[in-house]
Amino acid sequence: MKSVPVIDLSACSSCESCISLCPDVFYLNEETGVMETAEIDEYPEEDVQSAISCCPKDCIRWEAVN
């Protein structure tokens, strides 16, 4: 089973710390103004985990998908 990073937008402050730590995965959608995760085949686990650990709002988590 694959896991993907997910951002809880209700808690996110858009501080962009996740972007600075893992720019291949996290980005600010310019049209909507909200943080998003890129849909890629394989996520760099160590970089995503760093973003999760450093998130000041603790709003990023791994979620299992089929």
Side-chain angles (χ1 to χ4, degrees), residues 5-7 25-27 35-39 43:
V6 175
I7 302 171
V25 175
F26 301 101
Y27 66 97
M35 300 300 295
E36 293 187 4
T37 56
E39 292 183 27
Y43 292 94

Side-chain angles (χ1 to χ4, degrees), residues 11-56:
C12 180
S13 65
S14 298
C15 71
E16 298 187 18
S17 64
C18 56
I19 294 173
S20 65
L21 292 166
C22 194
D24 294 334
V25 175
F26 301 101
Y27 66 97
L28 180 64
N29 183 318
E30 298 293 334
E31 290 182 20
T32 63
V34 299
M35 300 300 295
E36 293 187 4
T37 56
E39 292 183 27
I40 56 180
D41 291 333
E42 192 170 323
Y43 292 94
E45 283 190 44
E46 191 172 310
D47 292 343
V48 172
Q49 197 57 49
S50 291
I52 290 171
S53 298
C54 292
C55 178

